[in-house]
């Protein structure tokens, strides 16, 4: 081959290979992380922010359990049991959120989000670990931080997590029903349909928490000052990228589109004038309305024009920053609750550069592997929490396929 032709081929190869290379997602699979442990609707998993390496799981029924230190262990430890308060009455109610205070190792504080009735409401409470036993919560230590009235049983949001700024973020849905029938999504003077940000370590006026001065609407009397972002339908799982600090949030759609958002301070995410990138409903939005689009949407039906496979209810995950699977680093993991499909996307310099299926839907499983949540430990390893009673972890399939 003449050198000039070789050069041409080489150039052509590089030209073709470059974008394909950038678009590639690694081959990964799932394996059961704790083969001997079966859980009842696990909704949250995290590691204690101390040196004990204890992994905690919150179940929808109101229990917080400590998983066995040995992966093949059989026994969980009950850290806290709130089942006597019956938080889980209807499908989307329950113990939905759990968070350790960033200084838990010193102050022993942690937080729960759970549902209560009469009146129907969401409760965000602070608890402490018991003085004599690090594996047991002191139930009597409860301090109610916030109670949010709920008009219905669904679209509760429910995650509470501390951001890299040390403030507590609380995700709340629109209050339930179809089409935002209670009219909360674009209402400014309600806590519903919002991402909130509060300071659990200070107090503002007679509140049981402080309002950070840098919250976006503290000077706008039309808004509740807790508001960080708004226009959300049912934000179901958000996370901060351990590397960039970006706040990823999945928002469950209604009839057609599921969406992944990057939450920005003060942003209005469009519900119920928008569903994903699309217009929703027949009313025109106010002339001054500015809606932020998601970074990605996926459809409910294959007939919808898109290059993304279908699903029915999004579950947000994490940008993988672990050590075990280097080729997965930087991939945001998300799933469909109904189908059990897991996808990955790369979001770089303000755009999604690739997305695709990582773990396809598994047909014929009984019970089905509905993916209700993800979890992350202190070293950035990501777990999958499913309603088939299992906790999964990712495994690399790169080497297997190379053989
Ligand atoms: Ca939206």
């Amino acid at each position: 081959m003449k050198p000039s032709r070789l050069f041409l081929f080489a150039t052509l190869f590089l030209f073709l290979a470059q974008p394909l290379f950038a678009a590639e997602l690694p081959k990964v699979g799932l394996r059961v992380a704790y083969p001997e442990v079966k859980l009842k609707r696990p909704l949250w998993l995290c590691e204690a922010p101390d040196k004990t390496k204890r992994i905690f799981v919150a179940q929808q029924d109101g229990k917080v359990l400590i998983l066995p230190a040995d992966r093949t262990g059989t026994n969980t430890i009950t850290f806290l049991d709130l089942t006597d308060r019956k938080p889980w009455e209807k499908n989307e109610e329950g113990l939905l959120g759990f968070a350790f205070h960033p200084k838990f190792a010193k102050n022993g504080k942690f937080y729960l989000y759970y549902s209560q009735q009469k009146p129907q409401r969401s409760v965000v409470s602070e608890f402490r670990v018991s003085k004599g036993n690090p594996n047991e919560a002191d139930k009597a230590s409860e301090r109610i931080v916030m109670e949010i009235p709920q008009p219905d049983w669904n679209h509760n949001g429910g995650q509470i997590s501390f951001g890299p700024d040390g403030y507590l973020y609380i995700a709340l849905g629109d209050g339930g029903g179809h089409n935002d029938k209670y009219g909360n999504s674009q209402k400014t003077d309600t806590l519903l349909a919002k991402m909130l940000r509060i300071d659990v370590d200070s107090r503002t006026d007679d509140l049981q928490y402080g309002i950070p001065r840098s919250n976006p609407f503290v000077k706008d009397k039309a808004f509740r000052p807790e508001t960080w972002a708004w226009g959300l339908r049912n934000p179901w799982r958000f996370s901060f990228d351990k590397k960039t600090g970006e706040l990823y949030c999945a928002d469950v759609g209604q009839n057609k589109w599921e969406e992944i958002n990057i939450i920005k301070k003060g942003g209005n995410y469009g519900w119920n004038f928008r569903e994903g990138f699309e217009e929703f409903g027949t009313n025109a939005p106010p002339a001054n309305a500015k809606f932020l689009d998601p970074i990605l949407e996926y459809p409910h039906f294959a007939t919808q024009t898109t290059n993304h496979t279908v699903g029915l209810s999004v579950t947000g995950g994490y940008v993988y920053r672990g050590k075990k699977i280097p080729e997965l680093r930087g991939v945001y993991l998300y799933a469909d609750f109904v189908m059990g499909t897991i996808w990955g996307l790369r979001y770089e310099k303000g755009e999604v550069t690739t997305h695709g299926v990582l773990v396809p839907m598994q047909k014929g499983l009984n019970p089905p592997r509905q993916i209700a949540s993800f979890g992350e430990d202190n070293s950035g390893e990501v777990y999958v929490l499913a309603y088939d009673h299992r906790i999964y972890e990712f495994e690399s399939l790169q080497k297997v396929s190379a053989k």
Side-chain angles (χ1 to χ4, degrees):
M1 199 182 279
K2 284 179 186 173
S4 61
R5 190 172 286 184
L6 184 69
F7 178 74
L8 187 72
F9 269 92
T11 313
L12 193 67
F13 174 79
L14 282 176
F15 174 74
L16 288 172
Q18 209 57 38
L20 288 175
F21 227 68
E24 207 172 290
L25 289 169
K27 290 186 174 65
V28 293
L30 288 185
R31 66 172 168 231
V32 178
Y34 294 85
E36 301 304 320
V37 175
K38 280 196 163 188
L39 297 156
K40 193 170 169 184
R41 291 205 173 199
L43 286 182
W44 192 251
L45 178 151
C46 62
E47 184 177 341
D50 55 21
K51 299 277 157 61
T52 62
K53 298 198 182 300
R54 291 173 299 167
I55 305 277
F56 288 66
V57 173
Q59 294 187 155
Q60 191 169 358
D61 65 355
K63 278 186 185 168
V64 180
L65 306 170
I66 304 172
L67 293 176
D70 175 359
R71 285 295 185 89
T72 59
T74 53
N75 295 331
T76 57
I77 298 169
T78 301
F79 178 69
L80 178 66
D81 186 349
L82 283 186
T83 51
D84 56 343
R85 297 191 198 174
K86 299 188 173 70
W88 182 26
E89 292 272 300
K90 295 239 174 80
N91 191 29
E92 292 181 23
E93 295 175 336
L95 171 55
L96 304 181
F98 175 88
F100 284 107
H101 192 288
K103 293 184 181 136
F104 171 76
K106 273 188 186 162
N107 64 23
K109 291 178 184 174
F110 65 93
Y111 299 82
L112 297 182
Y113 174 122
Y114 62 97
S115 309
Q116 291 289 269
Q117 311 295 332
K118 296 179 186 172
Q120 201 166 30
R121 64 198 190 278
S122 299
V123 182
V124 177
S125 277
E126 178 184 273
F127 290 81
R128 285 169 193 261
V129 71
S130 87
K131 288 208 168 69
N133 183 354
N135 288 336
E136 191 177 75
D138 176 3
K139 225 169 139 178
S141 69
E142 180 172 19
R143 174 176 80 83
I144 293 174
V145 174
M146 186 187 272
E147 289 187 288
I148 304 118
Q150 293 285 359
D152 220 326
W153 59 271
N154 58 357
H155 304 179
N156 286 314
Q159 185 179 336
I160 51 173
S161 288
F162 286 88
D165 51 15
Y167 294 130
L168 186 67
Y169 290 72
I170 302 168
L172 292 168
D174 67 10
H178 257 58
N179 306 319
D180 183 24
K181 68 176 186 182
Y182 301 105
N184 291 310
S185 55
Q186 292 293 318
K187 215 167 148 189
T188 54
D189 61 353
T190 173
L191 297 176
L192 296 176
K194 308 286 184 300
M195 179 73 78
L196 310 180
R197 189 178 80 149
I198 63 168
D199 179 9
V200 296
D201 296 325
S202 71
R203 305 285 182 271
T204 297
D205 304 326
D206 55 355
L207 298 170
Q208 285 296 306
Y209 51 90
I211 304 289
R213 277 190 201 161
S214 51
N215 271 11
F217 300 109
V218 284
K219 294 201 176 92
D220 187 341
K221 290 276 175 273
F223 279 85
R224 294 288 301 258
E226 296 88 343
T227 307
W228 182 253
W230 58 305
L232 298 165
R233 183 177 177 274
N234 188 22
W236 184 246
R237 294 335 193 192
F238 65 85
S239 64
F240 295 90
D241 183 340
K242 272 183 187 290
K243 187 176 170 191
T244 67
E246 281 169 312
L247 174 46
Y248 286 72
C249 181
D251 197 10
V252 178
Q254 182 168 295
N255 295 332
K256 285 184 174 172
W257 300 101
E258 302 300 308
E259 60 184 77
I260 308 289
N261 298 280
I262 299 287
I263 299 291
K264 299 258 168 76
K265 176 179 176 175
N268 181 349
Y269 289 83
W271 178 248
N272 65 350
F273 291 111
R274 315 277 290 169
E275 187 185 18
F277 288 94
E278 328 296 328
E279 279 179 19
F280 182 90
T282 50
N283 295 337
N288 61 350
K290 265 196 216 158
F291 301 133
L292 297 185
D293 279 331
I295 61 166
L296 177 137
E297 66 177 8
Y298 71 80
H300 286 202
F301 307 103
T303 49
Q304 290 166 255
T305 311
T306 172
N307 62 350
H308 197 293
T309 49
V310 299
L312 291 166
S313 180
V314 67
T315 299
Y318 293 85
V319 177
Y320 181 81
R321 297 292 179 192
K323 293 186 182 70
K324 287 183 184 168
I325 311 176
E327 66 270 24
L328 192 59
R329 278 188 207 141
V331 175
Y332 175 73
L333 304 158
Y334 59 108
D336 193 76
F337 168 69
V338 180
M339 306 279 195
T341 315
I342 300 176
W343 298 276
L345 67 80
R346 287 186 189 276
Y347 179 71
E348 293 155 317
K349 294 181 185 143
E351 62 179 311
V352 174
T353 54
T354 183
H355 66 79
V357 173
L358 290 174
V359 183
M361 181 174 109
Q362 309 286 305
K363 280 184 187 159
L365 295 180
N366 185 24
R369 187 194 287 162
Q370 291 171 311
I371 296 175
S373 195
F374 289 81
E376 190 189 41
D377 66 21
N378 293 349
S379 53
E381 299 304 329
V382 174
Y383 302 80
V384 174
L385 281 60
Y387 277 5
D388 63 0
H389 320 296
R390 296 296 193 187
I391 294 172
Y392 296 88
E393 62 187 342
F394 290 91
E395 61 180 351
S396 174
L397 300 179
Q398 301 280 91
K399 285 167 200 145
V400 179
S401 60
K403 269 177 192 165

